[in-house]
Amino acid sequence: MPRSDTRHPRPVWSFREYAPVGVDLGSAAAVAAYDGNQGTDPAADDALLDRLGVTAGTRLIDLACGTGSLVVQAARRGAQAHGVDVSEQMLRHAEARAERLDAAPHWHLAGFLDYAHTAGPADVVTTRSALHQLPDFWKQQALVNAAAMLRPGGTFYLWDVVFSFDPADTDARLQHWIDASGTDGGFTRSDYETHVREEFSTYAWVLEGMLERAGLTIVSRAFPRPTHAEYVCARR
Ligand SMILES: C[S@@+](CC[C@H](N)C(=O)[O-])C[C@H]1O[C@@H](n2cnc3c(N)ncnc32)[C@H](O)[C@@H]1O
């Protein structure tokens, strides 16, 4: 499926969402290693799509889709699937995956802030392991943009590094997370340190206020670890 240019111009004062933040994921080497480091698993993607009720005809948008596994699995079950990412390298990898698996999703070189969805209201918008790339002020704008893509009652799914521990315990909790890194392969200790220092993960209660203010009602929340959160929301 050819790519379409679906960006709307942003003012000069807008956040530079195409500039790399934190851990380098944009180089050819980083993209080639990404699925192994991240533990990308099409079976897990299928399980998530089942949970979100994605079937043939569902219109799904995955924001910051990376190497595109979720989008490709959605397309393979007949969904109208859109993958959006600011990284040319990531999209190329995603396109190659789609071609290999004979799937035809729509790909968009665009960001959380400048993606202008024109293909009709979405039933499901997802974003995983990526919203932390934006500072909080811009996360709110990204969530407003994401909510606007959804039909009323449509589902917004978010998974990310989000902190649910008591702020008084921050040093100990983060050190514990960093110390546990790299024990099962994947990203390194230095990657985790860079994440904390240079990326913009925030507290769960901050994010929850943003979701509500974007017009999204939180239907379920889960904190499988004090450093990670999952939200399923419905657009009001
Ligand atoms: C850690 S990866 C997550 C990829 C994928 N969602 C996954 O779960 O494997 C973060 C992705 O966010 C993308 N990204 C960073 N900033 C972005 C932005 N402002 N808008 C859209 N994508 C962005 C990066 O290019 C990268 O592909």
Side-chain angles (χ1 to χ4, degrees), residues 163-213:
F163 304 137
S164 57
F165 45 72
D166 185 331
D169 298 335
T170 293
D171 282 2
R173 291 294 195 168
L174 291 180
Q175 197 58 56
H176 182 265
W177 180 48
I178 289 165
D179 288 345
S181 62
T183 48
D184 52 357
F187 292 112
T188 64
R189 179 185 190 87
S190 163
D191 291 333
Y192 280 50
E193 288 168 343
T194 303
H195 180 109
V196 173
R197 190 175 56 241
E198 296 171 26
E199 303 185 19
F200 305 102
S201 279
T202 194
Y203 288 112
W205 53 91
V206 175
L207 200 54
E208 290 180 14
M210 292 185 191
L211 289 165
E212 292 291 341
R213 281 169 182 77

Side-chain angles (χ1 to χ4, degrees), residues 17 25 34 64-66 85-87 90 110-112 128-130 133:
E17 57 180 339
L25 295 176
Y34 179 81
C65 64
D85 203 284
V86 292
S87 163
M90 284 286 191
F112 282 115
R128 300 185 301 176
S129 305
Q133 295 275 310

Side-chain angles (χ1 to χ4, degrees), residues 35-60:
D35 284 332
N37 286 335
Q38 183 74 352
T40 301
D41 176 5
D45 292 331
D46 279 332
L48 175 60
L49 293 169
D50 287 344
R51 275 179 63 204
L52 299 177
V54 175
T55 56
T58 302
R59 185 176 289 132
L60 171 141

